[in-house]
Amino acid sequence: MAVLPLSAGRPLDLATMASTRLMNTSTPNKEFFMQFHLDDMTCGGCARTVTKVIQGIDPAASVIADPPNRTVQVQTTASEAQIAAALREAGFPPREH
């Protein structure tokens, strides 16, 4: 167990501090998995733009673009509505379900 001195004279127990912090952390954002069919995503340049648009909403999003099938799979903490709106604004409107 690592113990470091504090200026107030009490030792700092890192194991206790870590477990306390872990118990008090807020719940992380929920991740969503979604797929969109983008008729206008026809090439690698389009796929890069789509990826940038999605990661502009959620920089940690996982994006798998498939131009030949015109689909994009997304794992993100953003809502489907947020992603769809950003794609529409960028000129890649998702096909309605």
Side-chain angles (χ1 to χ4, degrees):
M1 168 171 39
V3 178
L4 301 174
L6 284 178
S7 60
R10 295 186 322 231
L12 174 62
D13 179 350
L14 294 179
T16 302
M17 291 294 291
S19 65
T20 302
R21 286 196 169 208
L22 288 175
M23 291 186 323
N24 291 333
T25 57
S26 63
T27 305
N29 290 339
K30 188 174 185 178
E31 286 197 331
F32 300 98
F33 298 89
M34 55 194 83
Q35 180 171 315
F36 297 96
H37 189 97
L38 308 174
D39 289 319
D40 296 329
M41 184 180 70
T42 59
C43 66
C46 296
R48 284 188 293 280
T49 300
V50 164
T51 299
K52 286 179 185 177
V53 166
I54 293 168
Q55 290 178 337
I57 302 286
D58 175 8
S62 171
V63 180
I64 301 171
D66 181 3
N69 290 312
R70 298 183 182 185
T71 60
V72 63
Q73 296 176 4
V74 183
Q75 179 180 349
T76 180
T77 57
S79 72
E80 185 173 343
Q82 287 174 303
I83 299 297
L87 290 169
R88 273 191 297 279
E89 187 174 314
F92 297 94
R95 188 186 289 175
E96 296 296 322
H97 297 272

